[in-house]
Amino acid sequence: MKALRWGVLSTAKIGRDRVIPALRKAAGCRLVALGSRDGTRGREVAAAVGIPRVHDSYEALVADPEIDAVYIPLPNHLHREWTIAAARAGKHVLCEKPLALTVADAEEMIEACRDAGVQLMEAFMYRFHPTWVGVRDLLASGRIGPVAAIQTWFGYYNDDPANIRNIRDAGGGALYDIGCYAINVSRMLLGGEPTGVTASVVRDESSGVDVLASAVLEYGDRLASFTVSTRTETDQRVHVYGTKGRITIPIPFNIPSDRPTEVHVIAGGDPPVAPATEVLTFPTADPYALEVEAFAAAVLDGRPAPLPPSDAVANLRVIEEIFRVAEARRYETSPA
């Protein structure tokens, strides 16, 4: 079987811990090389995870003629630069979310990939897991009736000033890191784009990054609300409310790859005291492996990427609007 030959750009933790193991076992994928600006560190990581070749620069990796596709887990502010560089070198690109820091940057990346004739996809791995395939099937079946509202919580605690997520110029902050998931899931389930946004954002006084953000997204007569934070207890939940019931996804985004997962369907019974609850169990699956397999299959078959890059642009439009609305509201409510 023909395989897509991959290079990984940097020794970032998500690559080491999640995507590299996925690439090593994924069908239709062959991991060829790692690129790192720290050659010693690159060789250490490559030896530990079984990557045969190491390049001492990002430039050398994207220029490697034996690589077909590049996975980019770099800090957010470097996504644009290295996606465009990879595209110009003729490489397909799977880039971590958010695809870019602005809509304009994302559109430039898409244009570069289009001009080069290569595929570009934003790495929202959760969408490939059986849990979400099952949830979408439940909604399509009308199990809980038409969806009226979605509520999402996603938070963890990280106050390390040296961590890239707490550096504003590098694209740190809660909205870029985890708010993008809450926006993405609402757009996926409600099948469109928000028609209105209300939002509040709290920033760290020292770093300036957003550490707590809430938003209400209007989808016509339906609402999606969420709160994300990098200064709270680690937890995540998605609740989907319909006219005849609701669905709760206890681990919606960082889905474990070593155990089955559950979805709770609550419909009927005697709510709220004794609602009828069905627990659906989905098989163990690695969402990162499913993601890279789907991307590789599309490239090898000459098909568009399963998640079009235009979806990433739409997500960024919402993030930009949340920041704009929250900033305007802050000035409106500030004392004179």
Side-chain angles (χ1 to χ4, degrees), residues 128-157:
F128 296 90
H129 195 275
T131 295
W132 282 106
V133 176
V135 169
R136 293 197 296 269
D137 288 344
L138 283 169
L139 296 178
S141 74
R143 178 71 179 276
I144 64 169
V147 175
I150 298 170
Q151 291 183 338
T152 299
W153 169 269
F154 198 172
Y156 63 89
Y157 196 89

Short mmCIF file of all heavy atoms in Angstrom, two decimals, residues 128-157:
data_model
loop_
_atom_site.label_atom_id
_atom_site.label_comp_id
_atom_site.label_asym_id
_atom_site.label_seq_id
_atom_site.Cartn_x
_atom_site.Cartn_y
_atom_site.Cartn_z
N PHE A 128 -12.88 13.42 14.55
CA PHE A 128 -12.75 12.12 13.91
C PHE A 128 -13.06 10.96 14.84
O PHE A 128 -13.12 9.81 14.40
CB PHE A 128 -11.34 11.96 13.33
CG PHE A 128 -11.04 12.95 12.25
CD1 PHE A 128 -10.49 14.19 12.54
CD2 PHE A 128 -11.33 12.66 10.92
CE1 PHE A 128 -10.22 15.12 11.55
CE2 PHE A 128 -11.07 13.57 9.91
CZ PHE A 128 -10.52 14.81 10.23
N HIS A 129 -13.25 11.23 16.12
CA HIS A 129 -13.47 10.16 17.10
C HIS A 129 -14.88 9.60 16.97
O HIS A 129 -15.84 10.33 16.67
CB HIS A 129 -13.25 10.69 18.52
CG HIS A 129 -13.10 9.60 19.53
ND1 HIS A 129 -14.19 9.00 20.13
CD2 HIS A 129 -12.01 8.98 20.05
CE1 HIS A 129 -13.77 8.08 20.97
NE2 HIS A 129 -12.45 8.04 20.94
N PRO A 130 -15.07 8.28 17.22
CA PRO A 130 -16.41 7.67 17.15
C PRO A 130 -17.44 8.35 18.04
O PRO A 130 -18.64 8.34 17.72
CB PRO A 130 -16.15 6.23 17.61
CG PRO A 130 -14.73 5.96 17.28
CD PRO A 130 -14.01 7.26 17.46
N THR A 131 -16.99 8.96 19.16
CA THR A 131 -17.92 9.68 20.03
C THR A 131 -18.69 10.73 19.25
O THR A 131 -19.92 10.82 19.34
CB THR A 131 -17.15 10.37 21.18
OG1 THR A 131 -16.56 9.37 22.00
CG2 THR A 131 -18.08 11.22 22.02
N TRP A 132 -17.98 11.53 18.47
CA TRP A 132 -18.63 12.63 17.77
C TRP A 132 -19.36 12.17 16.52
O TRP A 132 -20.36 12.79 16.12
CB TRP A 132 -17.62 13.73 17.47
CG TRP A 132 -17.35 14.53 18.70
CD1 TRP A 132 -16.23 14.50 19.48
CD2 TRP A 132 -18.25 15.43 19.34
NE1 TRP A 132 -16.37 15.34 20.56
CE2 TRP A 132 -17.61 15.92 20.50
CE3 TRP A 132 -19.54 15.88 19.05
CZ2 TRP A 132 -18.20 16.84 21.36
CZ3 TRP A 132 -20.14 16.79 19.89
CH2 TRP A 132 -19.47 17.26 21.04
N VAL A 133 -18.89 11.09 15.92
CA VAL A 133 -19.67 10.49 14.83
C VAL A 133 -21.01 10.03 15.38
O VAL A 133 -22.08 10.27 14.78
CB VAL A 133 -18.91 9.31 14.20
CG1 VAL A 133 -19.77 8.62 13.15
CG2 VAL A 133 -17.58 9.77 13.60
N GLY A 134 -20.98 9.43 16.58
CA GLY A 134 -22.20 8.96 17.22
C GLY A 134 -23.13 10.10 17.61
O GLY A 134 -24.36 10.01 17.44
N VAL A 135 -22.57 11.18 18.16
CA VAL A 135 -23.40 12.33 18.55
C VAL A 135 -24.08 12.94 17.34
O VAL A 135 -25.29 13.26 17.37
CB VAL A 135 -22.55 13.38 19.29
CG1 VAL A 135 -23.34 14.68 19.47
CG2 VAL A 135 -22.12 12.85 20.66
N ARG A 136 -23.34 13.11 16.26
CA ARG A 136 -23.95 13.69 15.06
C ARG A 136 -25.05 12.79 14.52
O ARG A 136 -26.10 13.27 14.06
CB ARG A 136 -22.87 13.93 13.99
CG ARG A 136 -21.87 15.02 14.40
CD ARG A 136 -21.08 15.52 13.21
NE ARG A 136 -20.24 14.50 12.60
CZ ARG A 136 -18.98 14.27 12.94
NH1 ARG A 136 -18.42 14.95 13.93
NH2 ARG A 136 -18.29 13.34 12.32
N ASP A 137 -24.85 11.46 14.59
CA ASP A 137 -25.90 10.53 14.15
C ASP A 137 -27.13 10.63 15.05
O ASP A 137 -28.27 10.58 14.56
CB ASP A 137 -25.37 9.09 14.17
CG ASP A 137 -24.38 8.81 13.04
OD1 ASP A 137 -24.33 9.62 12.09
OD2 ASP A 137 -23.67 7.80 13.12
N LEU A 138 -26.92 10.79 16.36
CA LEU A 138 -28.05 10.94 17.28
C LEU A 138 -28.87 12.18 16.95
O LEU A 138 -30.11 12.15 16.93
CB LEU A 138 -27.54 11.03 18.72
CG LEU A 138 -27.12 9.74 19.40
CD1 LEU A 138 -26.40 10.06 20.71
CD2 LEU A 138 -28.33 8.84 19.66
N LEU A 139 -28.19 13.28 16.70
CA LEU A 139 -28.89 14.51 16.37
C LEU A 139 -29.63 14.39 15.05
O LEU A 139 -30.78 14.85 14.92
CB LEU A 139 -27.91 15.68 16.33
CG LEU A 139 -27.23 16.02 17.67
CD1 LEU A 139 -26.26 17.17 17.48
CD2 LEU A 139 -28.25 16.34 18.74
N ALA A 140 -29.00 13.77 14.07
CA ALA A 140 -29.64 13.60 12.76
C ALA A 140 -30.88 12.71 12.86
O ALA A 140 -31.85 12.88 12.09
CB ALA A 140 -28.64 13.02 11.77
N SER A 141 -30.88 11.78 13.80
CA SER A 141 -32.02 10.88 13.96
C SER A 141 -33.20 11.53 14.65
O SER A 141 -34.30 10.96 14.69
CB SER A 141 -31.59 9.64 14.77
OG SER A 141 -31.43 9.98 16.16
N GLY A 142 -32.99 12.72 15.23
CA GLY A 142 -34.05 13.40 15.94
C GLY A 142 -34.27 12.88 17.35
O GLY A 142 -35.31 13.15 17.96
N ARG A 143 -33.29 12.18 17.88
CA ARG A 143 -33.45 11.55 19.20
C ARG A 143 -33.84 12.55 20.29
O ARG A 143 -34.65 12.23 21.17
CB ARG A 143 -32.16 10.84 19.57
CG ARG A 143 -32.15 10.17 20.94
CD ARG A 143 -33.04 8.94 20.98
NE ARG A 143 -33.00 8.30 22.28
CZ ARG A 143 -32.06 7.44 22.67
NH1 ARG A 143 -31.09 7.10 21.83
NH2 ARG A 143 -32.08 6.91 23.87
N ILE A 144 -33.26 13.74 20.27
CA ILE A 144 -33.61 14.73 21.29
C ILE A 144 -34.39 15.90 20.69
O ILE A 144 -34.55 16.95 21.33
CB ILE A 144 -32.36 15.26 22.02
CG1 ILE A 144 -31.43 16.01 21.06
CG2 ILE A 144 -31.62 14.13 22.73
CD1 ILE A 144 -30.32 16.79 21.76
N GLY A 145 -34.91 15.72 19.48
CA GLY A 145 -35.64 16.79 18.82
C GLY A 145 -34.69 17.84 18.26
O GLY A 145 -33.46 17.71 18.36
N PRO A 146 -35.22 18.90 17.67
CA PRO A 146 -34.37 19.97 17.16
C PRO A 146 -33.51 20.57 18.27
O PRO A 146 -33.97 20.76 19.39
CB PRO A 146 -35.38 21.00 16.63
CG PRO A 146 -36.62 20.20 16.35
CD PRO A 146 -36.66 19.13 17.39
N VAL A 147 -32.26 20.88 17.94
CA VAL A 147 -31.34 21.45 18.93
C VAL A 147 -31.69 22.92 19.15
O VAL A 147 -31.84 23.69 18.20
CB VAL A 147 -29.88 21.32 18.47
CG1 VAL A 147 -28.95 22.04 19.44
CG2 VAL A 147 -29.50 19.84 18.35
N ALA A 148 -31.81 23.30 20.43
CA ALA A 148 -32.09 24.68 20.79
C ALA A 148 -30.88 25.40 21.34
O ALA A 148 -30.71 26.61 21.14
CB ALA A 148 -33.23 24.73 21.81
N ALA A 149 -30.02 24.66 22.06
CA ALA A 149 -28.89 25.31 22.72
C ALA A 149 -27.75 24.33 22.97
O ALA A 149 -27.98 23.13 23.12
CB ALA A 149 -29.33 25.93 24.05
N ILE A 150 -26.54 24.87 23.00
CA ILE A 150 -25.34 24.10 23.32
C ILE A 150 -24.58 24.87 24.39
O ILE A 150 -24.41 26.09 24.29
CB ILE A 150 -24.45 23.91 22.08
CG1 ILE A 150 -25.19 23.11 21.00
CG2 ILE A 150 -23.15 23.21 22.45
CD1 ILE A 150 -24.46 23.08 19.67
N GLN A 151 -24.15 24.15 25.42
CA GLN A 151 -23.32 24.75 26.46
C GLN A 151 -21.99 23.99 26.53
O GLN A 151 -22.00 22.76 26.59
CB GLN A 151 -24.00 24.70 27.82
CG GLN A 151 -25.22 25.61 27.94
CD GLN A 151 -25.81 25.58 29.33
OE1 GLN A 151 -25.61 24.63 30.08
NE2 GLN A 151 -26.54 26.63 29.69
N THR A 152 -20.89 24.72 26.57
CA THR A 152 -19.57 24.11 26.61
C THR A 152 -18.74 24.73 27.72
O THR A 152 -18.74 25.95 27.90
CB THR A 152 -18.83 24.30 25.27
OG1 THR A 152 -19.58 23.68 24.23
CG2 THR A 152 -17.44 23.69 25.32
N TRP A 153 -18.05 23.87 28.47
CA TRP A 153 -17.04 24.32 29.44
C TRP A 153 -15.73 23.63 29.09
O TRP A 153 -15.69 22.45 28.78
CB TRP A 153 -17.43 23.94 30.87
CG TRP A 153 -16.28 24.16 31.82
CD1 TRP A 153 -15.31 23.25 32.18
CD2 TRP A 153 -15.93 25.37 32.47
NE1 TRP A 153 -14.39 23.84 33.02
CE2 TRP A 153 -14.75 25.14 33.21
CE3 TRP A 153 -16.51 26.64 32.50
CZ2 TRP A 153 -14.14 26.14 33.97
CZ3 TRP A 153 -15.90 27.64 33.26
CH2 TRP A 153 -14.73 27.37 33.98
N PHE A 154 -14.63 24.39 29.10
CA PHE A 154 -13.31 23.83 28.84
C PHE A 154 -12.31 24.67 29.64
O PHE A 154 -12.18 25.87 29.41
CB PHE A 154 -12.99 23.90 27.35
CG PHE A 154 -11.86 23.00 26.88
CD1 PHE A 154 -11.59 22.85 25.52
CD2 PHE A 154 -11.05 22.31 27.77
CE1 PHE A 154 -10.56 22.03 25.07
CE2 PHE A 154 -10.02 21.48 27.35
CZ PHE A 154 -9.78 21.35 25.99
N GLY A 155 -11.65 24.02 30.60
CA GLY A 155 -10.70 24.77 31.41
C GLY A 155 -9.58 23.91 31.95
O GLY A 155 -9.70 22.69 32.06
N TYR A 156 -8.47 24.55 32.27
CA TYR A 156 -7.34 23.91 32.95
C TYR A 156 -6.56 25.02 33.65
O TYR A 156 -6.83 26.22 33.46
CB TYR A 156 -6.45 23.14 31.96
CG TYR A 156 -5.78 24.00 30.91
CD1 TYR A 156 -4.54 24.60 31.14
CD2 TYR A 156 -6.38 24.21 29.68
CE1 TYR A 156 -3.92 25.38 30.18
CE2 TYR A 156 -5.77 25.00 28.71
CZ TYR A 156 -4.55 25.58 28.97
OH TYR A 156 -3.94 26.37 28.02
N TYR A 157 -5.58 24.64 34.47
CA TYR A 157 -4.82 25.64 35.21
C TYR A 157 -3.37 25.69 34.73
O TYR A 157 -2.67 24.68 34.73
CB TYR A 157 -4.83 25.35 36.72
CG TYR A 157 -4.38 26.55 37.53
CD1 TYR A 157 -5.32 27.49 37.95
CD2 TYR A 157 -3.05 26.76 37.82
CE1 TYR A 157 -4.92 28.61 38.66
CE2 TYR A 157 -2.64 27.88 38.52
CZ TYR A 157 -3.58 28.81 38.94
OH TYR A 157 -3.19 29.93 39.64
#
